[in-house]
């Protein structure tokens, strides 16, 4: 199916007014091989570059059954660029294959892999803390130690492969924008929603695709680029997401999702 670009805007709590309009482009679930081919990745990278984002994020599942394609994938991703960096978190498939190898391969190409840590983007217009957690399906990251380097009262973007972790963040009272993937949006949606059998992904059962307000957490679930199980997507096109961050202070709106921008 042809790739779609989705544009959304998030009124992010505590975003410095000078960062109003900061744009992040998200790709997820690239799953290079066996079903997802280099041409699919190349197309996603082209779309991403055309959007000229301030930062790029990649939310896990780079490979599927083996870490071997990670080298080729890193090469295909190398044209990605953004003034404030390209960041990644790892997904369950990356762990099942070889998380250290995937991390090393991406890092060698300048992609900053966040493994249970928070990095502060010093943009020159204000600071934007970005946290990345390991796959919740496979590992059990300690949210509190991973958020060392962030304090309440500051903005926060969280990269977490599995969307249902938004509940944990909400329970901990963390106000953040969480960017996830994992579900593929169901991948097969012949009747507008996936068959029950395809909704079994652990930590991907509750939030399937798109925008959710989960307490203080604004969650976006990207449908991903690749396929697993079958080389097919039905009424569930691959997705590149552009997220524009808005300062509630500038826009005078409550922290929550805004309308679709496009
Ligand atoms: Fe996954």
């Amino acid at each position: 199916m042809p790739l779609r670009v989705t544009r959304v805007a998030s009124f992010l709590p505590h975003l410095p007014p000078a960062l109003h309009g900061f744009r992040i482009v998200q790709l997820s679930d690239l799953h290079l091989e066996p079903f997802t081919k280099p041409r699919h990745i190349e197309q996603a990278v082209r779309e991403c570059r055309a959007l000229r984002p301030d930062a790029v994020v990649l939310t896990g599942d780079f490979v599927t059954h083996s870490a071997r394609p990670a080298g080729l994938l890193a090469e295909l991703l190398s044209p990605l660029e953004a003034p404030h960096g390209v960041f990644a978190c790892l997904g369950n498939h990356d762990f099942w294959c070889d998380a250290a190898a995937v991390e090393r391969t991406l890092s060698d190409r300048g992609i900053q892999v966040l493994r249970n840590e928070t990095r502060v983007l010093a943009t020159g217009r204000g600071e934007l803390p970005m946290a990345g957690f390991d796959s919740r399906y496979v590992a059990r990251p300690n949210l509190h130690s991973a958020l060392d380097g962030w304090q309440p009262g500051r903005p926060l973007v969280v990269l977490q492969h599995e969307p249902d972790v938004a509940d944990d963040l909400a329970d901990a009272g963390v106000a953040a924008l969480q960017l996830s993937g994992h579900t593929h949006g169901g991948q097969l949606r012949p009747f507008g929603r996936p068959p029950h059998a395809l909704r079994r992904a652990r930590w991907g059962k509750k939030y399937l695709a798109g925008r959710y307000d989960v307490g203080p957490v604004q969650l976006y679930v990207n449908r991903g680029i690749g396929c697993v199980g079958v080389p097919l997507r039905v009424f569930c096109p691959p997705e590149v997401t552009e997220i524009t961050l808005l300062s509630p202070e500038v826009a005078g709106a409550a922290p929550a999702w805004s309308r679709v921008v496009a």
Side-chain angles (χ1 to χ4, degrees):
M1 293 186 79
L3 188 150
R4 291 242 182 99
V5 176
T6 307
R7 293 182 170 89
V8 295
S10 155
F11 289 103
L12 187 63
H14 314 297
L15 186 73
L19 286 181
H20 185 75
F22 190 95
R23 289 179 306 114
I24 297 172
V25 170
Q26 181 192 12
L27 300 179
S28 198
D29 299 80
L30 298 167
H31 282 294
L32 182 63
E33 303 293 352
F35 302 137
T36 315
K37 300 297 177 191
R39 67 176 186 280
H40 300 119
I41 309 293
E42 285 166 347
Q43 190 195 3
V45 167
R46 264 197 310 276
E47 293 287 353
C48 184
R49 279 177 59 88
L51 292 167
R52 301 174 66 85
D54 294 302
V56 175
V57 301
L58 311 167
T59 44
D61 276 5
F62 294 91
V63 292
T64 308
H65 301 309
S66 158
R68 230 169 294 127
L72 172 58
L73 180 63
E75 201 179 311
L76 294 166
L77 294 176
S78 63
L80 286 178
E81 56 183 13
H84 301 297
V86 181
F87 300 87
C89 66
L90 299 181
N92 49 307
H93 280 268
D94 303 319
F95 276 85
W96 289 336
C97 295
D98 186 341
V102 174
E103 178 191 4
R104 199 171 47 245
T105 310
L106 296 175
S107 301
D108 286 349
R109 290 283 183 164
I111 296 172
Q112 301 183 55
V113 184
L114 302 179
R115 299 202 53 190
N116 306 322
E117 62 178 301
T118 305
R119 251 173 235 179
V120 178
L121 282 64
T123 67
R125 293 182 282 150
E127 292 187 339
L128 181 62
M130 186 173 296
F133 302 152
D134 280 349
S135 163
R136 180 63 179 79
Y137 192 146
V138 181
R140 196 187 175 89
N142 182 319
L143 301 188
H144 291 285
S145 62
L147 288 176
D148 220 23
W150 170 82
Q151 301 84 32
R154 302 184 75 195
L156 180 64
V157 176
V158 170
L159 311 182
Q160 165 69 61
H161 181 65
E162 293 90 351
D164 293 1
V165 174
D167 288 354
D168 289 350
L169 283 173
D171 288 348
V174 176
L177 167 66
Q178 179 185 323
L179 302 176
S180 296
H182 185 52
T183 63
H184 299 195
Q187 194 173 310
L188 307 174
R189 304 180 60 133
F191 309 109
R193 60 193 303 271
H196 181 68
L198 293 171
R199 297 200 61 175
R200 286 203 206 119
R202 286 178 64 195
W203 296 93
K205 290 182 180 161
K206 254 179 110 169
Y207 307 111
L208 194 64
R211 295 172 295 171
Y212 300 88
D213 283 307
V214 185
V217 179
Q218 294 168 57
L219 167 67
Y220 190 85
V221 188
N222 176 299
R223 292 188 303 268
I225 298 295
C227 295
V228 290
V230 287
L232 192 65
R233 281 178 172 264
V234 177
F235 297 126
C236 191
E239 173 178 4
V240 172
T241 316
E242 179 193 64
I243 303 110
T244 302
L245 304 184
L246 304 177
S247 164
E249 214 178 304
V250 172
W257 280 111
S258 153
R259 65 185 168 79
V260 172
V261 166

